């Protein structure tokens, strides 16, 4: 059985045909330009996916089914006419930061975490819905269905509305019962959303078939089954073989995230991170610590300090290697959601003097991105693990991989396949559970950056009360 898998990401769309043995054959990748507005045009997003699918289907390789994984959270809507009620707001939106702060003060964040083991952040559906109710009432009034990015793509492919348990987890799922939790809607002041959320179906369920219109746009055969997939972090974990309790994976991409599989949930302690239900019928969960900014922090720095350079990445890394230590960068350009909740956090450089050079700033940026990821790993697993698998776009760079090993202080195993999420969602949708054995590179620490990491964590914690006070003014 050949499955055409779609990975609908934040900055790019990927497609791949995965055969019954889990081998990837035809692939495509198209960057997605979301523009400079506050939201994302869903039609534009769909057209990017359709173009990617057309590249893959042009090879004439047989496709027996289609499945989709994608970015989670956010606010994706449909109106009465079957078209988007407005632009989509994505998981990394900071528009609803004040709402999350109010929830913290009211105790809603803690109460919700006690039931779900998932913290609330500005990019969650509930927070963005309340923001839209105040700032975009036209969207709220026009909305008849709320779902997620992958569900919008499925709707464009087959005309059916549904979501799965992994996407539905945040923020309204009864994580043990596996259905929407009426108490969660009430607690968060979103009672009207209870009747608008897409129905939950199990991964692998056929939700429809490719329509004539979608066939024309993508090159897929009309009538091809469309199978329910999952949120991207679950697909990535499956794709690298992290499926059992005790295993961990780190993703270095637009967002930086650490994930560990568990068969129980722990809602004790400070609210932080997310816990996703990953099986419809089994008590199996994925503990996720996803930062608000990953390599997007690097993108910002390159734009600001190498604005006209065609070889900006090369210049950046040359600067990193020529730099002197001493500057600490805080990468909270979009607030922070893990491993601590601070939607009002801001980025900054600490330790700048008249002798500071661009290279010193570059070094601090590279370190900060990985410091943040190590912090997430330790919170997701309880400690620095003996070994961790690194994947995502950054895993394709030997420089990033070595820096990650140095900062983590342990062996790093790298899975740099660019279509890991496609492989994972194909396995999830077909129930095959297959992961193709691959030769993975390993990186050992060459430098000890543990003191620098501790300094980064201490500065971040020290600034938390200041960020909160600044936001109140």
């Amino acid at each position: 059985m050949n499955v055409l898998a779609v990975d609908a990401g934040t900055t790019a769309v990927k497609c791949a045909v995965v055969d019954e043995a889990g081998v990837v054959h035809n692939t495509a990748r198209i960057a997605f330009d979301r523009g400079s507005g506050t939201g994302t045009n869903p039609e534009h997003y769909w057209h990017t996916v359709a173009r990617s699918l057309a590249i893959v289907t042009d090879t004439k390789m047989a496709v027996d089914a289609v499945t989709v994984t994608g970015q989670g959270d956010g606010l994706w809507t449909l109106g009465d006419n079957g078209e988007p009620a407005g632009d989509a707001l994505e998981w990394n939106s900071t528009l609803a930061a004040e709402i999350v702060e109010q929830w913290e003060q009211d105790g809603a964040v803690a109460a919700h975490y006690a039931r779900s083991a998932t913290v609330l952040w500005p990019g969650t559906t509930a927070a963005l819905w309340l923001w839209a109710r105040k700032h975009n009432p036209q969207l709220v009034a026009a909305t008849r269905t709320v779902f997620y990015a992958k569900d919008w793509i499925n709707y464009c492919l087959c005309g059916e509305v549904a979501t799965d348990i992994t996407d539905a987890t945040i923020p309204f799922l009864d994580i043990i019962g596996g259905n929407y939790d009426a108490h969660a809607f009430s607690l968060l002041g979103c009672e009207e959303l209870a009747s608008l959320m897409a129905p939950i179906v199990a991964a692998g369920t056929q939700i429809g078939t490719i329509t004539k219109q979608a066939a024309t746009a993508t090159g897929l055969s009309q009538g091809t089954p469309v199978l329910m997939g999952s949120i991207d972090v679950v697909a990535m974990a499956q794709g690298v073989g992290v499926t059992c309790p005790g295993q961990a994976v780190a993703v270095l991409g637009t967002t930086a995230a650490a994930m560990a599989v568990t068969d129980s949930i722990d809602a004790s302690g400070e609210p932080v991170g997310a816990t996703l239900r990953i099986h419809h019928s089994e008590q199996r969960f994925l503990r996720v610590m996803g930062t608000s900014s990953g390599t997007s922090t690097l993108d910002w720095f390159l734009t600001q300090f190498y604005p006209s350079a065609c070889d900006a990445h090369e210049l950046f890394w040359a600067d990193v290697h020529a730099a002197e230590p001493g500057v600490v960068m805080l990468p909270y350009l979009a607030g922070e959601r893990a491993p601590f909740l601070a939607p009002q956090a801001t980025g900054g450089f600490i330790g700048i003097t008249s002798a500071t050079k661009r290279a010193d700033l570059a070094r601090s940026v590279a370190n900060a991105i990985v410091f943040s990821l190590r912090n997430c790993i330790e919170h997701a697993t309880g400690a620095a693990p003996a070994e961790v698998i690194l994947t995502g776009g950054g895993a394709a760079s030997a420089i990033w991989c070595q820096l990650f090993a140095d900062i983590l202080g342990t062996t790093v195993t790298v899975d740099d396949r660019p279509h890991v999420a496609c492989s994972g969602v194909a396995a999830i949708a077909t129930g095959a559970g297959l992961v193709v054995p691959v030769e993975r590179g390993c990186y050992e620490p060459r430098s000890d950056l543990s003191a620098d990491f501790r300094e980064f964590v201490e500065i971040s914690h020290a600034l938390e009360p200041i960020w909160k006070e600044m936001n109140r003014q």
Side-chain angles (χ1 to χ4, degrees), residues 28 126 128 191 212 251 282 290 350 371 374 423:
L128 290 171
E191 290 89 347
K212 181 179 180 180
V251 181
E282 298 178 25
I350 307 294
F371 284 157
R374 171 177 170 173
S423 297

Side-chain angles (χ1 to χ4, degrees), residues 92-269:
N92 54 359
S93 172
T94 60
L95 294 172
E98 290 186 4
I99 290 168
V100 175
E101 183 184 13
Q102 187 62 52
W103 279 339
E104 282 191 283
Q105 295 173 6
D106 295 345
V109 169
H112 182 268
Y113 189 84
R115 295 174 66 90
S116 64
T118 292
V119 78
L120 297 161
W121 62 88
T124 53
T125 304
L128 290 171
W129 179 258
L130 293 188
W131 178 89
R133 187 193 290 167
K134 180 178 180 180
H135 298 280
N136 192 352
Q138 296 88 350
L139 181 145
V140 170
T143 296
R144 297 296 176 266
T145 300
V146 173
F147 50 10
Y148 303 91
K150 79 172 191 318
D151 307 323
W152 160 245
I153 301 305
N154 283 334
Y155 176 77
C156 293
L157 290 169
C158 68
E160 300 295 334
V161 171
T163 192
D164 82 302
I165 202 166
T166 63
D167 255 327
T169 297
I170 303 172
F172 298 122
L173 193 77
D174 173 354
I175 196 168
I176 299 299
N179 297 304
Y180 289 120
D181 181 3
H183 182 272
F185 292 105
S186 176
L187 174 67
L188 302 179
C190 299
E191 290 89 347
E192 69 271 31
L193 274 179
S195 62
L196 301 180
M197 299 301 297
I200 302 170
V201 303
T205 300
Q206 180 175 326
I207 54 177
T209 61
I210 298 296
T211 64
K212 181 179 180 180
Q213 183 178 3
T216 300
T218 65
L220 288 161
S221 298
Q222 183 178 353
T224 303
V226 177
L227 309 179
M228 178 56 73
S230 73
I231 194 173
D232 55 0
V233 289
V234 171
M236 294 188 81
Q238 173 73 45
V240 299
V242 173
T243 58
C244 299
Q247 296 181 303
V249 59
V251 181
L252 182 56
T254 305
T255 184
M259 302 174 284
V261 177
T262 177
D263 54 12
S264 61
I265 61 172
D266 181 3
S268 62

Side-chain angles (χ1 to χ4, degrees), residues 4-16 26-34 43-58 71 90 153 217-218 254 418-419 422:
L4 203 170
V6 179
D7 176 10
T10 308
T11 57
V13 172
K14 301 175 184 177
C15 297
N26 305 325
T27 64
R29 180 188 186 279
I30 297 181
F32 173 66
D33 181 7
R34 65 183 302 276
E43 294 288 356
H44 184 192
Y45 196 65
W46 158 243
H47 292 154
T48 304
V49 172
R51 286 165 52 209
S52 301
L53 287 167
I55 293 171
V56 174
T57 55
D58 192 49
Q71 56 172 300
E90 295 180 302
I153 301 305
T218 65
T254 305
H419 293 84
C422 290

Side-chain angles (χ1 to χ4, degrees), residues 25 38 59 162 337 377 448:
H25 294 275
T38 58
T59 61
R337 58 176 181 165
I377 291 169
D448 184 2

